[in-house]
Amino acid sequence: MFLILKKIIGSTANIVENYGGFEITVTDDKKFPWIAVFSLLLDSGFQIWIDRKGSHIQVMSKPEVN
């Protein structure tokens, strides 16, 4: 999953694995593939949070626990 996200994101963001989920720091919000990333995460059973870290938008995700 990490490698798939990294390929989709390309150079528009930095991604790290974090507690079974992902922390994505968007560096180019105009070119970032928002729909593709959100769709992949949601379809794979992840919860998503969006916040701001300094001047960048940060997308955090974790697997949904049932």
Side-chain angles (χ1 to χ4, degrees), residues 20-50:
F22 305 99
E23 186 176 299
I24 301 167
T25 303
V26 179
T27 55
D28 187 346
D29 60 345
K30 291 184 182 8
K31 293 182 181 177
F32 185 80
W34 297 98
I35 302 297
V37 170
F38 290 163
S39 292
L40 179 61
L41 288 169
L42 292 170
D43 290 347
S44 299
F46 284 79
Q47 295 177 323
I48 300 171
W49 292 268
I50 302 169

Side-chain angles (χ1 to χ4, degrees), residues 13-25:
N14 299 315
I15 181 172
V16 294
E17 289 183 272
N18 194 0
Y19 299 106
F22 305 99
E23 186 176 299
I24 301 167
T25 303

Side-chain angles (χ1 to χ4, degrees), residues 3 20 35 41-43 45 49-50 52-53 56 61 63-64 66:
L3 294 177
I35 302 297
L41 288 169
L42 292 170
D43 290 347
W49 292 268
I50 302 169
R52 186 169 291 281
K53 186 175 185 180
H56 298 291
S61 67
E64 189 169 1
N66 292 327

Side-chain angles (χ1 to χ4, degrees), residues 2 4 7 9-11 21-22 24 44 47 51 53 59 62-63:
F2 176 81
I4 295 169
K7 183 177 180 180
I9 290 167
S11 63
F22 305 99
I24 301 167
S44 299
Q47 295 177 323
D51 204 351
K53 186 175 185 180
V59 178
K62 72 173 184 88

